[in-house]
Amino acid sequence: MKKSIVVLCILFSLLSFSQQITLKKGKFYVKDNQITSFEVKKLFSTNLKSQSLFKEAKSKESLGGFLLGIGIAATITDLGIGLFSDKNYPSALTYAGVGAIAISIPILSGRRKKIEEAVEIYNSEKSSLGTTHSTFEFNALSNQNGLGFQLKF
C-alpha cells in the first residue's frame, strides 16, 4: 500500500508541472506543438475554474454555430424559393433566418474571451506551482460515483 501511494504521489507531481498552453490564431500549443481541443480539456481538468470557462466557451461555440448555420440555410432556402418560383421573396423564412444570424453574433462573440481567460488562469496556476508559496492539500471526497482522495500540489 505504501508503494502505491508513493507512486501515485510521484505521478501527480509529474502532472502538476506540465507545460504552459499558448493560444495562437485560435489553436492551442504546448511547447510549439499543436494540441487538440480534447487534450486541452484534459489539461484543464486540473483547474476547475479553467475547465468551467472552457466548457462555457465550447457551449457558446456550439449554440452560436448552430444558430448561424440555421439562419444562413433558412435565408438561402427562401432566396432560392423566391428566385425559382412566383412567390414573394422576402417571406417569414428570410426574416427568421436573419433573426437567427443576428442572435448568433453576440453568442459567438464572447467565446474567444472565455477561452483566453481559461488559458490565462491555467497558466498562472502552473507558473505559481514552481515557486515556494505552493501548498500541498490532501482531501477526502465523495459524490454519486463513490469515495476518493484528492491530492493538490
Side-chain angles (χ1 to χ4, degrees):
M1 184 67 179
K2 256 187 193 180
K3 290 180 183 179
S4 62
I5 290 175
V6 170
V7 169
L8 281 174
C9 287
I10 290 172
L11 288 175
F12 281 123
S13 68
L14 290 175
L15 286 175
S16 68
F17 292 108
S18 62
Q19 299 294 322
Q20 290 190 349
I21 299 173
T22 57
L23 189 63
K24 298 176 191 170
K25 296 182 182 179
K27 297 183 181 183
F28 299 100
Y29 292 92
V30 173
K31 226 178 189 180
D32 293 330
N33 293 328
Q34 185 179 353
I35 58 175
T36 63
S37 182
F38 180 73
E39 291 169 334
V40 172
K41 190 174 167 182
K42 285 193 333 191
L43 288 174
F44 282 163
S45 66
T46 61
N47 186 329
L48 186 61
K49 180 71 174 166
S50 295
Q51 184 180 26
S52 67
L53 283 171
F54 187 71
K55 282 183 179 180
E56 285 178 30
K58 287 299 182 179
S59 296
K60 286 178 79 110
E61 184 176 5
S62 298
L63 180 63
F66 177 74
L67 286 174
L68 184 65
I70 291 293
I72 290 171
T75 306
I76 290 175
T77 301
D78 194 37
L79 176 64
I81 291 171
L83 285 174
F84 299 114
S85 70
D86 292 332
K87 293 186 180 180
N88 292 336
Y89 165 59
S91 68
L93 192 59
T94 297
Y95 297 123
V98 170
I101 292 170
I103 291 171
S104 72
I105 291 171
I107 292 174
L108 287 171
S109 66
R111 67 184 165 90
R112 174 100 174 148
K113 184 178 177 184
K114 287 190 182 288
I115 289 175
E116 288 173 352
E117 189 177 345
V119 168
E120 184 178 310
I121 289 171
Y122 176 79
N123 288 340
S124 67
E125 179 192 80
K126 292 303 171 191
S127 64
S128 69
L129 282 173
T131 60
T132 58
H133 66 276
S134 64
T135 59
F136 175 79
E137 290 182 32
F138 180 76
N139 298 318
L141 302 171
S142 67
N143 61 16
Q144 68 271 14
N145 295 328
L147 300 171
F149 297 104
Q150 176 187 31
L151 293 172
K152 274 191 171 180
F153 296 91

